[in-house]
């Protein structure tokens, strides 16, 4: 038998800044305990099966596989969301988009569309805050939608309507009070694609042609036909793309075009309002 404390020491060779944190999360996953339990019971003996499972996870973490894929879960907006290698791992930066959406002066029963929902992060966060909104969440990936639907059931946000669609294709003719999206926006040649967790995430969730701007451009161009008068489009993008996305929105006829910063102070979400005249 081996103790909690001894097992935690096994992760000290992980070559990442978050070595201790990752080790604790992986051990908690095997023990099915919260992290505080590790500090309360460092001398507690751990079963052989659990110790073996933990050692296997450390082997995979040493190969670079993201902790969220190893545990199958990542928290977003305090919701425990399942993730798989078919979904992006939700990022804290995306909470900037959620916060902005919650500040919009929308009708009580607003209809809101999440474009490229992945694990369902944005739609489910909004559903948890605005249960009276009519939320639709689309993605081109059926595998991602399966994960998102499972998350809706697990978090009891079953009113969200999920639909498979190539951007606006399946919702043409419908109009929304707000369109929100975190589309793929990374240039295929971006060296960051070869670093850290990103290496294991689906390329289709990350990479867009035309220097990362193709999908952002498609969403902007199509937005006026999908918005009610006075509706809003909010898009997450790379921090170096803010100026270009603002120009796209101006060119498409949006007003009140602004960019918001993420918690690292980087220009991350750009939005504007659509008036039909
Ligand atoms: C950056 S991920 C965002 C996932 C999630 N919204 C989040 O913030 O964690 C982009 C998502 O867009 C989806 N996507 C890519 N191309 C698409 C398309 N043509 N139509 C619809 N969804 C698409 C991907 O499958 C992926 O789930």
């Amino acid at each position: 038998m081996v103790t909690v404390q001894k097992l935690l020491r096994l992760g000290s060779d992980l070559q990442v800044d978050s070595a201790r944190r990752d080790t604790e999360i992986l051990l908690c996953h095997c023990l099915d305990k919260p992290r505080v339990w590790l500090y309360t019971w460092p001398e507690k003996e751990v079963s052989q099966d659990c110790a073996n499972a933990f050692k296997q996870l450390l082997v995979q973490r040493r190969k670079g596989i993201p902790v969220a894929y190893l545990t199958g879960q990542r928290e977003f907006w305090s919701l425990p969301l399942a993730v798989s290698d078919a979904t992006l791992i939700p990022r804290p930066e995306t909470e900037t988009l959620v916060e902005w959406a919650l500040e919009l002066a929308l009708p009580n029963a607003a209809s809101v569309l999440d474009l490229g929902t992945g694990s369902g992060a944005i739609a489910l966060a909004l559903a948890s805050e605005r249960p009276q909104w009519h939320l639709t969440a689309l993605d081109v990936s059926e595998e991602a939608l399966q994960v998102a639907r499972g998350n809706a059931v697990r978090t009891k946000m079953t009113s969200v309507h999920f639909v498979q669609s190539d951007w606006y294709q399946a919702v043409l003719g419908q109009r929304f009070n707000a369109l929100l999206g975190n589309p793929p926006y990374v240039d295929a040649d971006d060296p960051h694609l070869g670093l850290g967790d990103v290496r294991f995430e689906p390329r289709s969730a990350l990479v867009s042609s035309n220097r990362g701007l193709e999908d952002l451009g498609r969403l902007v161009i199509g937005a006026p036909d999908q918005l009610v008068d006075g509706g809003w489009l909010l898009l997450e993008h790379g921090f170096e793309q803010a100026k270009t996305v603002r120009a796209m929105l101006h060119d498409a006829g949006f007003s009140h075009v602004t960019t918001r910063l993420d918690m690292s102070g980087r220009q991350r979400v750009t939005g504007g309002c659509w008036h039909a005249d």
Side-chain angles (χ1 to χ4, degrees), residues 23 35 38 46 56 71 94 104 112 120 151 160 169 179 210 262 264:
T23 308
R35 267 166 85 194
L38 304 177
V46 175
Q56 277 309 311
T71 61
T94 303
L104 295 174
V112 175
N151 280 328
V160 178
Q169 200 74 46
L179 306 171
N210 187 21
D262 64 19
S264 310

Short mmCIF file of all heavy atoms in Angstrom, two decimals, residues 23 35 38 46 56 71 94 104 112 120 151 160 169 179 210 262 264:
data_model
loop_
_atom_site.label_atom_id
_atom_site.label_comp_id
_atom_site.label_asym_id
_atom_site.label_seq_id
_atom_site.Cartn_x
_atom_site.Cartn_y
_atom_site.Cartn_z
N THR A 23 -0.93 16.93 -11.15
CA THR A 23 -0.80 15.67 -10.39
C THR A 23 -1.96 15.53 -9.40
O THR A 23 -2.55 14.46 -9.28
CB THR A 23 0.55 15.68 -9.62
OG1 THR A 23 1.59 15.96 -10.54
CG2 THR A 23 0.81 14.34 -8.98
N ARG A 35 -9.96 18.18 -4.23
CA ARG A 35 -8.52 18.41 -3.98
C ARG A 35 -8.20 18.64 -2.51
O ARG A 35 -7.14 18.23 -2.04
CB ARG A 35 -8.00 19.57 -4.84
CG ARG A 35 -7.44 19.04 -6.15
CD ARG A 35 -7.24 20.14 -7.13
NE ARG A 35 -5.98 20.82 -6.96
CZ ARG A 35 -5.70 22.00 -7.53
NH1 ARG A 35 -6.60 22.60 -8.28
NH2 ARG A 35 -4.53 22.56 -7.37
N LEU A 38 -6.88 15.74 -0.38
CA LEU A 38 -5.46 15.33 -0.43
C LEU A 38 -4.67 15.98 0.70
O LEU A 38 -3.73 15.38 1.24
CB LEU A 38 -4.82 15.73 -1.76
CG LEU A 38 -5.49 15.24 -3.05
CD1 LEU A 38 -4.76 15.79 -4.27
CD2 LEU A 38 -5.50 13.72 -3.09
N VAL A 46 -3.68 4.32 -0.22
CA VAL A 46 -4.46 4.27 -1.46
C VAL A 46 -4.41 2.85 -1.99
O VAL A 46 -3.36 2.20 -1.95
CB VAL A 46 -3.86 5.27 -2.50
CG1 VAL A 46 -4.56 5.16 -3.83
CG2 VAL A 46 -3.94 6.69 -1.96
N GLN A 56 -0.76 5.24 -14.55
CA GLN A 56 -1.06 5.20 -15.99
C GLN A 56 -1.37 6.61 -16.52
O GLN A 56 -0.93 7.00 -17.60
CB GLN A 56 -2.26 4.29 -16.28
CG GLN A 56 -1.90 2.83 -16.38
CD GLN A 56 -0.74 2.59 -17.34
OE1 GLN A 56 -0.74 3.09 -18.47
NE2 GLN A 56 0.28 1.88 -16.89
N THR A 71 -9.02 13.30 -17.62
CA THR A 71 -10.11 13.18 -16.65
C THR A 71 -11.47 13.21 -17.35
O THR A 71 -12.48 12.87 -16.76
CB THR A 71 -10.07 14.33 -15.62
OG1 THR A 71 -10.24 15.56 -16.33
CG2 THR A 71 -8.76 14.35 -14.86
N THR A 94 -12.96 32.62 -22.75
CA THR A 94 -14.29 32.62 -23.35
C THR A 94 -15.34 33.16 -22.37
O THR A 94 -16.43 33.56 -22.77
CB THR A 94 -14.61 31.19 -23.84
OG1 THR A 94 -13.56 30.81 -24.75
CG2 THR A 94 -15.93 31.09 -24.57
N LEU A 104 -25.95 42.34 -22.30
CA LEU A 104 -26.74 42.90 -23.40
C LEU A 104 -28.18 43.12 -22.94
O LEU A 104 -28.72 42.31 -22.18
CB LEU A 104 -26.74 41.94 -24.60
CG LEU A 104 -25.39 41.70 -25.29
CD1 LEU A 104 -25.55 40.62 -26.37
CD2 LEU A 104 -24.83 42.98 -25.91
N VAL A 112 -31.14 33.20 -28.74
CA VAL A 112 -29.69 33.40 -28.80
C VAL A 112 -29.05 32.17 -29.43
O VAL A 112 -29.43 31.04 -29.12
CB VAL A 112 -29.14 33.64 -27.37
CG1 VAL A 112 -27.62 33.72 -27.37
CG2 VAL A 112 -29.74 34.91 -26.78
N GLY A 120 -20.40 22.69 -25.59
CA GLY A 120 -21.63 23.36 -25.15
C GLY A 120 -21.37 24.50 -24.18
O GLY A 120 -22.30 25.09 -23.63
N ASN A 151 -23.62 17.04 -21.85
CA ASN A 151 -23.40 18.07 -20.83
C ASN A 151 -24.70 18.78 -20.45
O ASN A 151 -24.90 19.15 -19.30
CB ASN A 151 -22.37 19.08 -21.34
CG ASN A 151 -20.96 18.56 -21.19
OD1 ASN A 151 -20.67 17.80 -20.25
ND2 ASN A 151 -20.07 18.94 -22.10
N VAL A 160 -31.72 23.77 -23.96
CA VAL A 160 -30.86 24.20 -25.08
C VAL A 160 -31.10 23.27 -26.27
O VAL A 160 -31.11 22.04 -26.13
CB VAL A 160 -29.36 24.18 -24.69
CG1 VAL A 160 -28.49 24.58 -25.88
CG2 VAL A 160 -29.10 25.09 -23.50
N GLN A 169 -26.14 27.44 -41.96
CA GLN A 169 -26.88 26.61 -42.93
C GLN A 169 -28.23 26.10 -42.42
O GLN A 169 -29.25 26.26 -43.08
CB GLN A 169 -26.01 25.41 -43.31
CG GLN A 169 -26.40 24.75 -44.62
CD GLN A 169 -25.99 25.62 -45.82
OE1 GLN A 169 -24.88 26.10 -45.86
NE2 GLN A 169 -26.90 25.81 -46.75
N LEU A 179 -26.10 36.63 -31.67
CA LEU A 179 -25.29 35.56 -32.24
C LEU A 179 -23.95 35.61 -31.51
O LEU A 179 -23.31 36.66 -31.47
CB LEU A 179 -25.05 35.80 -33.73
CG LEU A 179 -26.27 36.03 -34.61
CD1 LEU A 179 -25.83 36.47 -36.01
CD2 LEU A 179 -27.10 34.75 -34.69
N ASN A 210 -7.02 31.56 -44.57
CA ASN A 210 -6.95 33.02 -44.74
C ASN A 210 -6.43 33.69 -43.46
O ASN A 210 -7.07 34.56 -42.90
CB ASN A 210 -8.35 33.55 -45.15
CG ASN A 210 -8.33 35.01 -45.50
OD1 ASN A 210 -7.26 35.56 -45.81
ND2 ASN A 210 -9.49 35.65 -45.43
N ASP A 262 -9.68 40.19 -22.44
CA ASP A 262 -9.79 39.04 -21.54
C ASP A 262 -9.09 39.38 -20.23
O ASP A 262 -8.58 40.49 -20.05
CB ASP A 262 -9.25 37.76 -22.20
CG ASP A 262 -7.76 37.84 -22.51
OD1 ASP A 262 -7.06 38.69 -21.92
OD2 ASP A 262 -7.29 37.05 -23.36
N SER A 264 -6.35 38.65 -19.14
CA SER A 264 -4.92 38.95 -19.30
C SER A 264 -4.72 40.30 -19.97
O SER A 264 -3.60 40.67 -20.33
CB SER A 264 -4.22 37.88 -20.14
OG SER A 264 -4.53 36.61 -19.68
#
